[in-house]
Amino acid sequence: MTGPSPNTRIDPYSIFSGASSYQGLATEGPHPWRALEPGDVYPCLLVLMPHYEALPVGRLAKDPEACAVLLERLRQWAGEQGLRSIAFEYLAPEAAVLTDALRTAGWPVVEFAARCDLHVTWSDFDGYMDTLSSRRRVRVRRELRALEEAGVRVGTRALRDEEAELVDLRCQLVVKYGGTADQAKEASMIRRLRSCFGDDEITVVTAEREGKTLGFGVFVQDGGTWMPTLAGADYTDPHSRLTYFATLFYKPIELAPERGIRIIPYGLGSWQAKQLRGCVAAPLYGAALRLDGHL
């Protein structure tokens, strides 16, 4: 990165200086760049994967020595390129060995926020309901009954080559949360999923009424992990109101045991709503190194 990003959820200077605390990021610090100016840390090598996470992959991903070598070679390379800093963001629980290597190497490690993980410990939907409070069980049954009475049916299907309806619903979600609708971009994401994963790895959960899709969620399976990848809803139709939790939580929760799913990571945001439905907080970390010798 040659300079600060307007997206303060990923901008290294904003996060490590404490300016992103208002978004719930690194609220407790430490903020190692608080006394610095952007010019002190840019250009910066940012290590970050899509969906706000970072973790090593491959056969040496859990090897402490390999992680230590990775960090040292990154530092050397960045220095040769004339960069002023390196930042890792959203280090996931699966990156524990790398996070420990960062601490050992003297990098300031900061807790960013928490990812919401749902651990599948039940064998059927009734078993899941038993994990909830009695009050929450009543709420869930009421929501599902309301959908049924409204004629909304929740089911699953494969992802098709062309998904114009899902693209439209996805764009509605983007606009709702302050983004700009880009149908070409959303369509390309769906094509990318189709090209990267097999039909048995992708599941589309839909909520439909009278042949019309009101809401959907796309899940990609990797072993025992079921990753929610895309979602959308028709916010112009009042019958879509309860479809979010039906497609992203209740139907996947029902199907997870038979598919061998052990964990569904629901990511950042809406912590209270997710925790009320059984999710637990999994800390995400960041680490930042200045290359002028000052940690």
Side-chain angles (χ1 to χ4, degrees):
M1 298 181 67
T2 57
S5 166
N7 183 353
T8 56
R9 292 188 298 274
I10 66 167
D11 180 59
Y13 177 75
S14 182
I15 294 172
F16 290 104
S17 68
S20 294
S21 295
Y22 77 98
Q23 290 191 327
L25 296 175
T27 55
E28 302 299 321
H31 300 120
W33 292 356
R34 182 182 293 278
L36 303 178
E37 297 295 327
D40 296 325
V41 298
Y42 289 106
C44 170
L45 172 61
L46 172 60
V47 184
L48 177 66
M49 297 165 73
H51 291 286
Y52 294 92
E53 67 177 0
L55 66 155
V57 297
R59 62 186 180 87
L60 296 178
K62 298 187 184 300
D63 184 320
E65 183 177 351
C67 288
V69 171
L70 168 66
L71 296 179
E72 178 57 23
R73 291 185 181 175
L74 269 181
R75 187 189 64 78
Q76 293 175 359
W77 179 86
E80 292 168 358
Q81 304 305 310
L83 306 184
R84 291 193 174 98
S85 65
I86 307 173
F88 284 80
E89 292 183 356
Y90 299 98
L91 289 156
E94 296 82 359
V97 174
L98 177 59
T99 305
D100 288 342
L102 287 160
R103 291 192 178 98
T104 300
W107 294 49
V109 175
V110 180
E111 184 172 338
F112 269 32
R115 185 182 79 186
C116 286
D117 289 347
L118 185 65
H119 295 277
V120 179
T121 59
W122 51 87
S123 58
D124 54 28
F125 193 73
D126 287 339
Y128 161 72
M129 294 288 279
D130 288 341
T131 68
L132 305 178
S133 67
S134 59
R135 183 177 181 181
R136 176 53 49 183
R137 288 197 296 269
V138 170
R139 289 286 299 274
V140 172
R141 292 191 181 101
R142 185 180 299 154
E143 290 175 11
L144 294 175
R145 186 166 59 251
L147 286 170
E148 184 177 359
E149 292 174 351
V152 177
R153 299 292 177 260
V154 181
T156 63
R157 64 169 176 81
L159 187 65
R160 304 170 185 136
D161 290 332
E162 299 296 331
E163 292 281 8
E165 193 173 33
L166 300 193
V167 167
D168 177 64
L169 301 186
R170 173 72 182 168
C171 286
Q172 288 194 45
L173 181 142
V174 170
V175 171
K176 179 182 179 181
Y177 289 100
T180 301
D182 186 335
Q183 291 210 347
K185 175 183 176 182
E186 302 303 334
S188 70
M189 290 177 66
I190 289 176
R191 287 195 298 271
R192 188 174 178 184
L193 283 175
R194 290 281 290 126
S195 67
C196 292
F197 300 97
D199 289 341
D200 59 337
E201 296 172 302
I202 307 175
T203 302
V204 183
V205 185
T206 61
E208 299 182 352
R209 181 177 185 272
E210 298 179 352
K212 174 185 176 184
T213 303
L214 301 175
F216 77 94
V218 176
F219 288 74
V220 176
Q221 184 168 355
D222 178 17
T225 301
W226 219 7
M227 180 66 72
T229 307
L230 294 173
D234 184 355
Y235 297 104
T236 67
D237 191 319
H239 292 102
S240 71
R241 187 175 63 85
L242 297 174
T243 61
Y244 175 84
F245 288 110
T247 57
L248 271 296
F249 281 81
Y250 303 142
K251 178 56 74 171
I253 282 168
E254 174 190 340
L255 299 175
E258 66 187 54
R259 300 186 179 213
I261 302 299
R262 298 188 302 273
I263 184 172
I264 305 177
Y266 281 104
L268 294 162
S270 304
W271 288 278
Q272 184 178 17
K274 294 172 182 176
Q275 289 173 343
L276 285 173
R277 288 161 177 83
C279 291
V280 296
L284 301 171
Y285 295 93
L289 177 72
R290 286 191 67 205
L291 297 180
D292 62 355
H294 298 289
L295 296 182

